[in-house]
Amino acid sequence: MKKIITAIFTLCFIGSVQATEVAVIDFRAALLESKIGQEAAKEPKQKVAEMDARLKKEQEELESSAKDLKRDELTLSPDEFKKRRQALAEHDNKVRAMAANMQRQAKALEQQLIKSLTPQGEAALKSLIEERKLDLVLNRQLSLYANADADLTDELVKRINKDN
């Protein structure tokens, strides 16, 4: 009797199992690696490089001022040393704020870029889903493990390039 129940359960279970086609994709990377992404990223990359150059210049000036203060520490009056140390601290705060602001601006530029490229990427992804008859597509960063065959990021890049 136990064998009959097990056999019936097994047959029911086998009948209810369906193959599910699953893929993982790094959508952001696919957009940025595509030809249209590379072309669209030129101007934001240039802006970020300019911001980075300004930040490096400010950091070098800050380091130079700190070295000058350390060098002159023994020859300065206590009041003059205190003023210069306070000015150095203010300059340091300014540089830190500048760095944080530049990071926000760079992130905003990337978000704008991704937003502008998303419609082309979604269209390419939709055609890839239909062609491959995928039941589920996950963001690669959300998956704990995915077989290399399940990662279709490179194929999505090729599809975006082909479609645009």
Side-chain angles (χ1 to χ4, degrees):
M1 182 71 172
K2 193 174 182 182
K3 290 183 179 181
I4 294 173
I5 292 174
T6 304
I8 291 172
F9 177 74
T10 304
L11 288 173
C12 291
F13 181 73
I14 290 172
S16 67
V17 173
Q18 294 180 7
T20 302
E21 292 296 321
V22 179
V24 294
I25 291 178
D26 187 340
F27 191 72
R28 179 188 160 279
L31 290 176
L32 295 176
E33 290 173 15
S34 68
K35 289 178 187 173
I36 60 170
Q38 293 290 317
E39 188 62 35
K42 285 181 181 176
E43 184 179 339
K45 282 182 181 179
Q46 183 181 5
K47 287 181 182 179
V48 169
E50 290 170 1
M51 290 187 293
D52 190 45
R54 282 196 312 261
L55 180 62
K56 284 182 181 177
K57 181 180 177 195
E58 288 291 328
Q59 288 172 332
E60 288 170 1
E61 288 176 10
L62 180 64
E63 287 176 17
S64 175
S65 296
K67 285 179 184 177
D68 290 346
L69 181 61
K70 187 165 181 78
R71 181 192 66 219
D72 298 341
E73 180 177 5
L74 297 176
T75 60
L76 294 174
S77 69
D79 288 340
E80 182 63 27
F81 178 75
K82 185 177 179 180
K83 284 181 192 176
R84 285 181 55 184
R85 189 175 61 191
Q86 185 176 4
L88 187 63
E90 288 172 3
H91 192 198
D92 183 50
N93 289 338
K94 177 183 156 189
V95 170
R96 289 176 190 269
M98 177 187 260
N101 185 37
M102 288 179 180
Q103 286 178 334
R104 280 192 299 275
Q105 287 178 3
K107 188 171 183 106
L109 287 170
E110 181 181 337
Q111 288 173 343
Q112 288 173 344
L113 178 64
I114 296 295
K115 187 177 179 180
S116 70
L117 298 172
T118 295
Q120 293 97 324
E122 287 176 342
L125 180 58
K126 184 177 178 182
S127 69
L128 191 60
I129 290 170
E130 290 170 358
E131 179 183 299
R132 290 266 192 140
K133 296 181 174 81
L134 297 172
D135 298 315
L136 179 65
V137 177
L138 298 172
N139 187 335
R140 184 168 55 191
Q141 286 78 14
L142 299 178
S143 65
L144 294 176
Y145 170 77
N147 187 326
D149 294 337
D151 189 341
L152 301 180
T153 303
D154 290 339
E155 194 170 331
L156 180 59
V157 171
K158 292 174 185 171
R159 180 66 54 100
I160 293 169
N161 289 341
K162 184 181 105 180
D163 293 348
N164 293 292

